[in-house]
Amino acid sequence: MRQRAAVLCGAAVIAAGSVAAVPAEANGPRQAPAAPAADLHWKKCATDDYPTLQCASLEVPLDHARPRGRQITLALSRVPHTAGTYQGPLLVNPGGPGGSGRTLAGFVASSLPAKVAAQYDVIGFDPRGVGKSSPALDCVPGHFDPVRPDSLPDTPDVEQANLARATSFAGACGDKYADVLPYIDTVGAARDVDAIRAALGAEKINYFGYSYGTYLGAVYAKLHPDRVRRLVLDSVVGPDDVWYDANLNQDLAFNDRHRAFLAWVAEHDAAYGLGTDPERVEAAWYAMRTALAKKPAGGKVGASELEDTYLPGGYYNGYWPYLAEAFAAYAVDDDAGPLVEAYEDFGALDAAGDNGYSVYTAVQCRDASWPRDWDEWRDDSWGLYGKAPFMVWNNTWYNAPCAFWPARSRQPVDVANRELPPALLFQATGDAATPYEGGIAAHQLLRGSGLVVEDGGGNHGITLSGNACLDEHLAAYLADGTVPRGDGGTADAVCPALPDPEPLQSKAASTSSRGSALHGLLGFRG
């Protein structure tokens, strides 16, 4: 998915709680380099942004219970350590499920303080089914091509059209990947992580996951707590919500985040001309949706595509200026061109997006049981719609294949863990994709963990995104295991959120930031 960039700058001032530094482990970092990995053959795969990036592949069992059975291939990347002090591999994951992690290794290695990054082999990987790993799933190429039926099923015909899409997608996945789907899940991916550890010749790994990557990391830690050295979880999946309830909770949180965007548009009426009253701006946005349901912009952007376009603004407010300009052009100037462009930048899926969605459904539908009675989905969605109209039905149809999934579901993993070394968790109070309560729950279940809260923040994926306070905690933990300890409150440390962005100086403006670079790598929805 192509995404525009935006700049966030400055800092808000909020008082933090009492914090004391506590080392996570008594032993210092190992001084000698790791043993060479005989099973991995690293080759240069440098990019302009990441000139030291290397790539390799690793065969792992499709079914880890049958290690001599069918093998699949994982695509790996690495930025090697350069310091004399070596702290081992740091595996990174961007979430999803379905997100490719190979480029994330380069981003993390270049975004951490140089002295810290130099002590790690930063390892990226495409989880099973994803990207350059093989086989890579793509159940229905072009499944999200425009124009789709309106997500709001206000007539029986519209509901049936959306149901037909969901059932056909699930059926196509079953027809195409019947032998693979029973093994595409978080537990299988976690066992792959351990295979990567073994191939690297490491007794323990360090792990840094965003979004769904926090659940993958927590599951790995549950399976192998003795093989985890350090564990960073940013924007934490609620451990009790996997996965149906998590999506219902998202619906409410994304509605709040969308309304925050509309209020921001109202604050900047001089730039957008949509009025200073947030309710008036909200009414204009839904009027745009109604109009697009009748006449899609450019033959591409109907009501469902509009929701796809504005959903990323709930993940990252750096996109708000671009989304606001497209909104104003359509609603004020009767110009649909910027809206079509915004859809192509933020909402449209390419082949990588098709792959990501196929893996997303395969993992989520397999990880946990979903209601098989469509009446339950309908009742829950309509029950929430009155409170949270922005995303409810779009999200329902996005996950609806799980009601008809051809592979049997397993039970979610209980990630409660008393055997880990202290982990470090990061959570924004206004995160929509992984709401704040999930971070608190995970903090309570991972004994000895530290929780750093971004107070007033609404972005999803908050470290290495421009907030120096958060990044200082991350760097300290990776440098020597320092975990903040608070004064008994919910959070062990509190960082003020960055301010919301400003409108673009001109319609031709194009800027970049670490935040937009990171959010271009994180998988939406998970």
PDB file of all heavy atoms in Angstrom, residues 381-397:
ATOM      1  N   SER A 381     -23.302  -6.250  15.462  1.00  0.00           N
ATOM      2  CA  SER A 381     -22.902  -5.106  14.640  1.00  0.00           C
ATOM      3  C   SER A 381     -23.947  -4.002  14.670  1.00  0.00           C
ATOM      4  O   SER A 381     -23.615  -2.820  14.828  1.00  0.00           O
ATOM      5  CB  SER A 381     -22.639  -5.568  13.207  1.00  0.00           C
ATOM      6  OG  SER A 381     -21.559  -6.477  13.163  1.00  0.00           O
ATOM      7  N   TRP A 382     -25.208  -4.365  14.521  1.00  0.00           N
ATOM      8  CA  TRP A 382     -26.247  -3.346  14.601  1.00  0.00           C
ATOM      9  C   TRP A 382     -26.310  -2.749  15.998  1.00  0.00           C
ATOM     10  O   TRP A 382     -26.601  -1.556  16.172  1.00  0.00           O
ATOM     11  CB  TRP A 382     -27.605  -3.908  14.206  1.00  0.00           C
ATOM     12  CG  TRP A 382     -27.835  -3.972  12.731  1.00  0.00           C
ATOM     13  CD1 TRP A 382     -28.115  -5.088  11.989  1.00  0.00           C
ATOM     14  CD2 TRP A 382     -27.817  -2.879  11.803  1.00  0.00           C
ATOM     15  NE1 TRP A 382     -28.267  -4.751  10.664  1.00  0.00           N
ATOM     16  CE2 TRP A 382     -28.084  -3.406  10.514  1.00  0.00           C
ATOM     17  CE3 TRP A 382     -27.584  -1.507  11.922  1.00  0.00           C
ATOM     18  CZ2 TRP A 382     -28.133  -2.604   9.372  1.00  0.00           C
ATOM     19  CZ3 TRP A 382     -27.631  -0.711  10.782  1.00  0.00           C
ATOM     20  CH2 TRP A 382     -27.909  -1.250   9.534  1.00  0.00           C
ATOM     21  N   GLY A 383     -26.029  -3.555  17.026  1.00  0.00           N
ATOM     22  CA  GLY A 383     -26.033  -3.036  18.384  1.00  0.00           C
ATOM     23  C   GLY A 383     -24.972  -1.970  18.612  1.00  0.00           C
ATOM     24  O   GLY A 383     -25.173  -1.024  19.387  1.00  0.00           O
ATOM     25  N   LEU A 384     -23.845  -2.098  17.930  1.00  0.00           N
ATOM     26  CA  LEU A 384     -22.775  -1.118  18.063  1.00  0.00           C
ATOM     27  C   LEU A 384     -22.922   0.053  17.097  1.00  0.00           C
ATOM     28  O   LEU A 384     -22.387   1.137  17.352  1.00  0.00           O
ATOM     29  CB  LEU A 384     -21.414  -1.785  17.808  1.00  0.00           C
ATOM     30  CG  LEU A 384     -20.831  -2.623  18.928  1.00  0.00           C
ATOM     31  CD1 LEU A 384     -19.569  -3.332  18.450  1.00  0.00           C
ATOM     32  CD2 LEU A 384     -20.495  -1.736  20.137  1.00  0.00           C
ATOM     33  N   TYR A 385     -23.626  -0.158  16.017  1.00  0.00           N
ATOM     34  CA  TYR A 385     -23.659   0.844  14.943  1.00  0.00           C
ATOM     35  C   TYR A 385     -24.177   2.195  15.430  1.00  0.00           C
ATOM     36  O   TYR A 385     -23.651   3.251  15.045  1.00  0.00           O
ATOM     37  CB  TYR A 385     -24.507   0.338  13.775  1.00  0.00           C
ATOM     38  CG  TYR A 385     -24.619   1.343  12.652  1.00  0.00           C
ATOM     39  CD1 TYR A 385     -23.551   1.564  11.791  1.00  0.00           C
ATOM     40  CD2 TYR A 385     -25.787   2.094  12.467  1.00  0.00           C
ATOM     41  CE1 TYR A 385     -23.648   2.507  10.767  1.00  0.00           C
ATOM     42  CE2 TYR A 385     -25.892   3.030  11.456  1.00  0.00           C
ATOM     43  CZ  TYR A 385     -24.811   3.230  10.613  1.00  0.00           C
ATOM     44  OH  TYR A 385     -24.908   4.162   9.608  1.00  0.00           O
ATOM     45  N   GLY A 386     -25.188   2.182  16.280  1.00  0.00           N
ATOM     46  CA  GLY A 386     -25.733   3.444  16.773  1.00  0.00           C
ATOM     47  C   GLY A 386     -24.723   4.250  17.576  1.00  0.00           C
ATOM     48  O   GLY A 386     -24.784   5.482  17.609  1.00  0.00           O
ATOM     49  N   LYS A 387     -23.776   3.549  18.222  1.00  0.00           N
ATOM     50  CA  LYS A 387     -22.750   4.231  19.022  1.00  0.00           C
ATOM     51  C   LYS A 387     -21.519   4.569  18.184  1.00  0.00           C
ATOM     52  O   LYS A 387     -20.811   5.535  18.488  1.00  0.00           O
ATOM     53  CB  LYS A 387     -22.322   3.337  20.192  1.00  0.00           C
ATOM     54  CG  LYS A 387     -23.429   2.882  21.107  1.00  0.00           C
ATOM     55  CD  LYS A 387     -22.876   1.891  22.133  1.00  0.00           C
ATOM     56  CE  LYS A 387     -23.977   1.314  23.005  1.00  0.00           C
ATOM     57  NZ  LYS A 387     -23.446   0.285  23.950  1.00  0.00           N
ATOM     58  N   ALA A 388     -21.239   3.749  17.200  1.00  0.00           N
ATOM     59  CA  ALA A 388     -19.954   3.852  16.497  1.00  0.00           C
ATOM     60  C   ALA A 388     -20.142   3.560  15.014  1.00  0.00           C
ATOM     61  O   ALA A 388     -19.698   2.525  14.519  1.00  0.00           O
ATOM     62  CB  ALA A 388     -18.946   2.892  17.126  1.00  0.00           C
ATOM     63  N   PRO A 389     -20.764   4.466  14.265  1.00  0.00           N
ATOM     64  CA  PRO A 389     -21.092   4.148  12.873  1.00  0.00           C
ATOM     65  C   PRO A 389     -19.899   4.124  11.928  1.00  0.00           C
ATOM     66  O   PRO A 389     -19.998   3.548  10.838  1.00  0.00           O
ATOM     67  CB  PRO A 389     -22.054   5.281  12.481  1.00  0.00           C
ATOM     68  CG  PRO A 389     -21.690   6.420  13.385  1.00  0.00           C
ATOM     69  CD  PRO A 389     -21.301   5.775  14.691  1.00  0.00           C
ATOM     70  N   PHE A 390     -18.782   4.728  12.292  1.00  0.00           N
ATOM     71  CA  PHE A 390     -17.684   4.894  11.338  1.00  0.00           C
ATOM     72  C   PHE A 390     -17.165   3.572  10.794  1.00  0.00           C
ATOM     73  O   PHE A 390     -17.019   3.391   9.591  1.00  0.00           O
ATOM     74  CB  PHE A 390     -16.546   5.676  11.996  1.00  0.00           C
ATOM     75  CG  PHE A 390     -15.266   5.668  11.197  1.00  0.00           C
ATOM     76  CD1 PHE A 390     -15.236   6.148   9.891  1.00  0.00           C
ATOM     77  CD2 PHE A 390     -14.091   5.176  11.739  1.00  0.00           C
ATOM     78  CE1 PHE A 390     -14.059   6.145   9.146  1.00  0.00           C
ATOM     79  CE2 PHE A 390     -12.910   5.167  11.006  1.00  0.00           C
ATOM     80  CZ  PHE A 390     -12.891   5.648   9.706  1.00  0.00           C
ATOM     81  N   MET A 391     -16.891   2.600  11.664  1.00  0.00           N
ATOM     82  CA  MET A 391     -16.142   1.421  11.233  1.00  0.00           C
ATOM     83  C   MET A 391     -16.879   0.099  11.408  1.00  0.00           C
ATOM     84  O   MET A 391     -16.457  -0.927  10.887  1.00  0.00           O
ATOM     85  CB  MET A 391     -14.826   1.368  12.009  1.00  0.00           C
ATOM     86  CG  MET A 391     -13.882   0.245  11.594  1.00  0.00           C
ATOM     87  SD  MET A 391     -12.402   0.226  12.644  1.00  0.00           S
ATOM     88  CE  MET A 391     -11.682  -1.327  12.139  1.00  0.00           C
ATOM     89  N   VAL A 392     -17.990   0.098  12.143  1.00  0.00           N
ATOM     90  CA  VAL A 392     -18.587  -1.170  12.566  1.00  0.00           C
ATOM     91  C   VAL A 392     -18.786  -2.132  11.403  1.00  0.00           C
ATOM     92  O   VAL A 392     -18.275  -3.257  11.413  1.00  0.00           O
ATOM     93  CB  VAL A 392     -19.923  -0.923  13.295  1.00  0.00           C
ATOM     94  CG1 VAL A 392     -20.682  -2.247  13.475  1.00  0.00           C
ATOM     95  CG2 VAL A 392     -19.672  -0.298  14.659  1.00  0.00           C
ATOM     96  N   TRP A 393     -19.527  -1.712  10.398  1.00  0.00           N
ATOM     97  CA  TRP A 393     -19.870  -2.671   9.351  1.00  0.00           C
ATOM     98  C   TRP A 393     -18.700  -2.946   8.421  1.00  0.00           C
ATOM     99  O   TRP A 393     -18.522  -4.073   7.937  1.00  0.00           O
ATOM    100  CB  TRP A 393     -21.104  -2.222   8.573  1.00  0.00           C
ATOM    101  CG  TRP A 393     -22.368  -2.587   9.299  1.00  0.00           C
ATOM    102  CD1 TRP A 393     -23.191  -1.753   9.987  1.00  0.00           C
ATOM    103  CD2 TRP A 393     -22.892  -3.906   9.457  1.00  0.00           C
ATOM    104  NE1 TRP A 393     -24.216  -2.470  10.561  1.00  0.00           N
ATOM    105  CE2 TRP A 393     -24.054  -3.805  10.244  1.00  0.00           C
ATOM    106  CE3 TRP A 393     -22.502  -5.164   9.008  1.00  0.00           C
ATOM    107  CZ2 TRP A 393     -24.827  -4.901  10.584  1.00  0.00           C
ATOM    108  CZ3 TRP A 393     -23.270  -6.272   9.344  1.00  0.00           C
ATOM    109  CH2 TRP A 393     -24.417  -6.134  10.122  1.00  0.00           C
ATOM    110  N   ASN A 394     -17.858  -1.966   8.187  1.00  0.00           N
ATOM    111  CA  ASN A 394     -16.662  -2.210   7.399  1.00  0.00           C
ATOM    112  C   ASN A 394     -15.804  -3.281   8.073  1.00  0.00           C
ATOM    113  O   ASN A 394     -15.309  -4.215   7.417  1.00  0.00           O
ATOM    114  CB  ASN A 394     -15.879  -0.906   7.248  1.00  0.00           C
ATOM    115  CG  ASN A 394     -14.703  -1.022   6.302  1.00  0.00           C
ATOM    116  OD1 ASN A 394     -13.737  -1.717   6.588  1.00  0.00           O
ATOM    117  ND2 ASN A 394     -14.762  -0.314   5.190  1.00  0.00           N
ATOM    118  N   ASN A 395     -15.649  -3.179   9.376  1.00  0.00           N
ATOM    119  CA  ASN A 395     -14.847  -4.149  10.128  1.00  0.00           C
ATOM    120  C   ASN A 395     -15.532  -5.509  10.188  1.00  0.00           C
ATOM    121  O   ASN A 395     -14.875  -6.560  10.153  1.00  0.00           O
ATOM    122  CB  ASN A 395     -14.600  -3.618  11.542  1.00  0.00           C
ATOM    123  CG  ASN A 395     -13.370  -4.225  12.180  1.00  0.00           C
ATOM    124  OD1 ASN A 395     -12.434  -4.647  11.506  1.00  0.00           O
ATOM    125  ND2 ASN A 395     -13.360  -4.271  13.502  1.00  0.00           N
ATOM    126  N   THR A 396     -16.856  -5.501  10.282  1.00  0.00           N
ATOM    127  CA  THR A 396     -17.595  -6.771  10.292  1.00  0.00           C
ATOM    128  C   THR A 396     -17.340  -7.554   9.022  1.00  0.00           C
ATOM    129  O   THR A 396     -17.021  -8.750   9.057  1.00  0.00           O
ATOM    130  CB  THR A 396     -19.100  -6.500  10.461  1.00  0.00           C
ATOM    131  OG1 THR A 396     -19.330  -5.904  11.741  1.00  0.00           O
ATOM    132  CG2 THR A 396     -19.897  -7.798  10.354  1.00  0.00           C
ATOM    133  N   TRP A 397     -17.471  -6.891   7.862  1.00  0.00           N
ATOM    134  CA  TRP A 397     -17.268  -7.610   6.599  1.00  0.00           C
ATOM    135  C   TRP A 397     -15.808  -7.998   6.404  1.00  0.00           C
ATOM    136  O   TRP A 397     -15.518  -9.021   5.779  1.00  0.00           O
ATOM    137  CB  TRP A 397     -17.760  -6.759   5.432  1.00  0.00           C
ATOM    138  CG  TRP A 397     -19.221  -6.457   5.507  1.00  0.00           C
ATOM    139  CD1 TRP A 397     -19.811  -5.228   5.544  1.00  0.00           C
ATOM    140  CD2 TRP A 397     -20.293  -7.411   5.579  1.00  0.00           C
ATOM    141  NE1 TRP A 397     -21.171  -5.350   5.635  1.00  0.00           N
ATOM    142  CE2 TRP A 397     -21.502  -6.688   5.655  1.00  0.00           C
ATOM    143  CE3 TRP A 397     -20.353  -8.808   5.597  1.00  0.00           C
ATOM    144  CZ2 TRP A 397     -22.742  -7.299   5.738  1.00  0.00           C
ATOM    145  CZ3 TRP A 397     -21.592  -9.421   5.675  1.00  0.00           C
ATOM    146  CH2 TRP A 397     -22.766  -8.674   5.750  1.00  0.00           C
TER     147      TRP A 397
END
